[in-house]
Amino acid sequence: MQIRHIEARIALLRRQLTEHQLYHLLSDIPDVRVFMESHIFAVWDFMSLLKSLQNYLTCTTLPWKPVANAATARFINEIVLGEETDVDRNGVPSSHFELYREAMREVGADTRPITDLLAHIDSLADVDAALKGTRLPQGVEQFLRSTFDLIREGQPHKIAAAFTFGRESLIPEMFIEIIRQSGEDKSRCPRLLYYLERHIEVDGDEHGPLAEALVRELCA
């Protein structure tokens, strides 16, 4: 199966990420705070890749027309439903991005950089200028530029591969390590724990297999 071939090719990179020394450093709230202030941009990146796939694979314009492939449309719509309109600990609808930002506030992490960036972006054409103007850390800026270059390239199978193998199927393992390495301060950040556990549950059991099916369908 080609999916297994891809996974074999990226196995070393995947292991380097899931066994990264960073997780051992997340032992208290100040450490987690620093991590979250950068990782929030990866959460936004994840949502941007997801919505770009929805734009390519479903009808998001008027008048509505049937899509070329109902299977890929269903796969992506199911993932969007869970990522963009999940529920918080109280059962209130919320995107995973908003859940994460609330968790940042809970631990005292600075949400102003991501909020400021989003305030300067109303369309895809605004991204490059906004990244430059908001003076983000170099690594964050490079990461986001790479993602939006891929989105603008407009090849859904590449976007789906990045989404699946670089995010969706990788995230549960990364988050399991974060929870495992965190110290006793876990009780002080219930919103963060809910976000991490929810992502492990949803991505590992539901969205990961859907994303792989999406790649198979797109690549035939």
Side-chain angles (χ1 to χ4, degrees), residues 111-132:
T111 63
R112 289 174 297 178
I114 183 64
T115 301
D116 185 44
L117 176 64
L118 295 186
H120 286 83
I121 297 176
D122 292 316
S123 71
L124 196 57
D126 299 331
V127 172
D128 286 342
L131 290 177
K132 186 175 182 180

Side-chain angles (χ1 to χ4, degrees), residues 39-220:
H39 187 248
I40 183 63
F41 293 97
V43 178
W44 179 61
D45 159 278
F46 176 92
M47 295 299 297
S48 298
L49 285 169
L50 176 61
K51 295 301 286 186
S52 72
L53 285 170
Q54 189 180 37
N55 286 339
Y56 284 122
L57 303 176
T58 73
C59 183
T60 57
T61 59
L62 292 173
W64 178 87
K65 293 183 180 181
V67 296
N69 188 324
T72 58
R74 182 179 179 87
F75 293 149
I76 204 65
N77 280 335
E78 287 194 36
I79 298 174
V80 169
L81 176 65
E83 298 291 346
E84 194 171 38
T85 54
D86 202 359
V87 293
D88 65 13
R89 294 183 304 149
N90 300 312
V92 178
S94 176
S95 71
H96 283 187
F97 174 86
E98 291 166 304
L99 288 176
Y100 195 89
R101 191 159 55 176
E102 282 301 308
M104 289 180 68
R105 296 188 179 107
E106 176 182 65
V107 301
D110 188 1
T111 63
R112 289 174 297 178
I114 183 64
T115 301
D116 185 44
L117 176 64
L118 295 186
H120 286 83
I121 297 176
D122 292 316
S123 71
L124 196 57
D126 299 331
V127 172
D128 286 342
L131 290 177
K132 186 175 182 180
T134 48
R135 297 185 179 182
L136 298 173
Q138 184 179 8
V140 170
E141 182 178 342
Q142 289 175 343
F143 175 72
L144 293 176
R145 285 190 186 280
S146 175
T147 292
F148 283 96
D149 284 346
L150 179 64
I151 290 173
R152 279 188 288 257
E153 190 178 341
Q155 299 194 51
H157 68 293
K158 290 186 178 182
I159 299 171
F163 178 81
T164 300
F165 302 110
R167 278 85 170 168
E168 192 69 76
S169 65
L170 183 65
I171 285 173
E173 292 182 44
M174 292 174 59
F175 285 173
I176 286 171
E177 285 302 313
I178 290 174
I179 290 177
R180 184 178 296 150
Q181 296 298 333
S182 295
E184 295 181 359
D185 283 323
K186 290 194 296 291
S187 62
R188 293 171 53 190
C189 46
R191 285 187 176 87
L192 175 59
L193 278 181
Y194 176 83
Y195 172 87
L196 296 177
E197 290 170 350
R198 186 65 179 154
H199 245 301
I200 291 169
E201 176 187 355
V202 173
D203 290 350
D205 296 340
E206 301 173 23
H207 294 176
L210 281 172
E212 287 191 4
L214 177 65
V215 172
R216 286 194 194 94
E217 190 71 23
L218 286 172
C219 295

